[in-house]
Amino acid sequence: MNTAYLDNHATTALDPRVAEAMGTAMLSHFGNPSSLHGPGRQARKAVNEARQQVAEVLGARQREVVFTSGGTEANNLAIRSAFALAGEGQSRRIITSAVEHPSVLETVATRPGVEVVKVPVDSEGQLDLAFLEAALEAPTALVSLMAANNETGVRFDVESIADLCARAGVLFHCDAVQALGKGPLPTAADLVSVSAHKIHGPKGVGALRVRKGLELPPLHAGGHQERGRRGGTENTLAIIGFGVAAQLVGMGNDTELERIRGLRDRLEAGICARIERARVNGGSAQRLPTVTNVHLPGLEGEAMVIALDMEGVAISSGSACSSGTMEPSHVLLAMGLPYAWANCSLRFSLSRFTTDEEIDFTLERLPQVAQRLQALGL
C-alpha cells in the first residue's frame, strides 16, 4: 500500500461521492437509454442530467457534449472526423505541437497523405505562437493543440490560439484532458476533449465538446446515439459518475487549487533543497498547480520510480522507458533537454486528495532513495 500517491496526472482516485452515485445507479438505472419504456426513459434522464453537468463545467450547451470512452477516443473523434469534414481535394494539412499526448501525435501521424506541421516549444515548454501564426498562412484543415501539458503542466495560450485559427478560418481542436478541473478551460475552441478519471471520476468515459453547427461524421457506425455522432449504447453508469465528478469540480475549486499549489510549491522547494542541482523543468512558465517535473542530476528516472515505490511513494518518471529499450519523454526532448537530462526527470502530480503528510513523507524518503541509488551507481 502506497503511503504517498503523487501520480494524479496518470489517474485520480474515485471520489466516494462519485462511487456512491454509481453504486446506486448500478441497480436502478439498468435500462437502455435508447429504449422507449420506463427503465429506458429513466436511464436517458440520468444520461442527460450528467450531460448537463459536464456541459456546465465546460461552459458549453448540453447538446454540444458527446460522450466517449475516454480522452483518447475524444481526441481521435475530433481529429479524424474534423479532418474528414475538410473533404477530398481540400487541404491535407494538420498543425499540432511537438509535445502533444500520444493519442494526438499518433493519430495525425497515421492520416494517409497528410502533411503534419509541429509547432515547436521553447526550453520552458511554451508554445511558439509566432511559428503557429506563420504556419496558418498556408491552407490548413485542422489545428490540434493541448490546453496544458500532462508531463510539465505548462499551459498553452489557448485563447490566442483560438483567435489565430478563427482569423485563418481553420478548425481548432483542444485536448483539455489535463486542464479540466485545474483552472480556466478553452472557451473559443471548436472541439474540446476531456476525461473523467482525471477529476476523480471513473475510467472508461470521456467527452468531446463539439461547437454548435459543426456536424462531425461519426467514428463508430451502426447507431444513432449521441445525436448520430458516436454510435453504441451509452455507458450509463460511467456517464453518471462523470456527471457527479464534473459537478464536484465546480464546488469551491479555486480555494482547493490554491491549497494544492501551496503543496506543490513546498514539494518543489523541498526537493531542490535536498537534492543538489535539482531543477524544475518548465518552472518559469505558467503551469497547472497540480504538477511538478523535476530534473535530478545523475539519478535515472525509472530506477527512482521503482525505488520510491518500494518506500511507499507512487510517482512517474519523466522517462517512459525501460532502460535501453525506449526513448525518454518526447516532451522533455522537444524542450531541448539533453537525452541524459530527460532520462533523469521525475513527475510528481497532486490532486484535491493530496495531504500535507504525503508531501512530508515524500520529502523524507526522496533523499534517502537518491543517496542509496547514487551509492549503487544507478
Side-chain angles (χ1 to χ4, degrees):
M1 176 68 69
N2 287 309
T3 304
Y5 180 77
L6 298 178
D7 197 21
N8 289 279
H9 273 209
T11 196
T12 56
L14 196 67
D15 190 293
R17 291 165 290 187
V18 174
E20 182 180 5
M22 293 178 68
T24 300
M26 189 173 293
L27 296 177
S28 61
H29 293 73
F30 59 86
N32 188 320
S34 296
S35 298
L36 296 178
H37 49 58
R41 294 196 305 273
Q42 185 180 32
R44 170 57 54 191
K45 181 182 177 182
V47 167
N48 285 339
E49 287 175 353
R51 196 186 308 278
Q52 181 60 35
Q53 290 167 326
V54 173
E56 287 175 2
V57 80
L58 291 175
R61 300 174 178 87
Q62 184 185 126
R63 291 159 69 94
E64 292 178 319
V65 175
V66 180
F67 285 119
T68 67
S69 65
T72 291
E73 187 192 332
N75 285 339
N76 271 263
L77 175 60
I79 293 167
R80 293 171 186 265
S81 297
F83 188 74
L85 197 63
E88 293 297 327
Q90 302 299 315
S91 173
R92 308 289 295 172
R93 193 166 181 265
I94 297 177
I95 297 175
T96 186
S97 85
V99 297
E100 298 297 313
H101 188 271
S103 62
V104 169
L105 292 177
E106 292 178 18
T107 300
V108 300
T110 55
R111 298 296 82 211
V114 171
E115 177 191 0
V116 178
V117 177
K118 292 183 181 179
V119 182
V121 296
D122 64 16
S123 61
E124 292 298 306
Q126 299 168 121
L127 193 74
D128 188 338
L129 285 175
F131 184 102
L132 173 62
E133 185 172 15
L136 282 168
E137 292 177 2
T140 302
L142 176 69
V143 169
S144 182
L145 293 166
M146 58 182 23
N149 189 263
N150 50 301
E151 294 190 28
T152 63
V154 173
R155 289 185 176 276
F156 286 177
D157 185 353
V158 290
E159 298 307 324
S160 293
I161 294 169
D163 181 62
L164 290 173
C165 291
R167 282 193 273 145
V170 176
L171 289 176
F172 171 36
H173 162 243
C174 184
D175 174 0
V177 167
Q178 284 295 351
L180 180 61
K182 301 166 188 172
L185 289 176
T187 57
D190 300 293
L191 300 152
V192 180
S193 302
V194 291
S195 181
H197 77 103
K198 306 296 187 182
I199 57 167
H200 302 286
K203 297 174 181 63
V205 62
L208 179 67
R209 195 204 84 192
V210 181
R211 175 180 51 78
K212 182 181 178 182
L214 188 59
E215 298 297 330
L216 291 186
L219 282 183
H220 302 289
H224 63 275
Q225 291 87 355
E226 298 301 297
R227 299 177 60 81
R229 298 171 294 190
R230 200 270 186 180
T233 303
E234 294 92 341
N235 185 354
T236 306
L237 293 181
I239 288 171
I240 289 171
F242 193 2
V244 175
Q247 187 177 45
L248 293 173
V249 159
M251 298 171 58
N253 199 43
D254 290 344
T255 301
E256 192 60 55
L257 288 175
E258 282 308 305
R259 184 190 73 85
I260 296 169
R261 186 190 305 276
L263 292 177
R264 191 274 311 273
D265 291 349
R266 185 161 73 83
L267 177 63
E268 282 184 351
I271 293 173
C272 290
R274 289 165 172 78
I275 306 295
E276 186 178 0
R277 295 182 293 116
R279 177 186 181 277
V280 178
N281 298 320
S284 66
Q286 184 180 11
R287 294 178 293 155
L288 298 176
T290 52
V291 66
T292 184
N293 191 297
V294 186
H295 169 57
L296 305 176
L299 293 167
E300 200 274 329
E302 184 186 11
M304 285 291 291
V305 169
I306 295 170
L308 281 168
D309 181 56
M310 294 175 67
E311 293 291 325
V313 179
I315 61 168
S316 63
S317 175
S319 164
C321 71
S322 296
S323 298
T325 62
M326 295 179 67
E327 292 296 308
S329 161
H330 70 283
V331 173
L332 300 182
L333 293 177
M335 291 166 60
L337 273 63
Y339 184 102
W341 187 311
N343 203 38
C344 295
S345 295
L346 299 177
R347 182 183 73 179
F348 302 79
S349 49
L350 294 66
S351 80
R352 67 172 180 261
F353 288 172
T354 304
T355 65
D356 283 283
E357 290 73 20
E358 287 179 290
I359 302 302
D360 292 337
F361 184 80
T362 301
L363 290 175
E364 175 191 341
R365 291 294 193 272
L366 184 65
Q368 300 171 6
V369 170
Q371 290 173 8
R372 187 164 70 247
L373 294 185
Q374 285 172 334
L376 293 172
L378 297 176

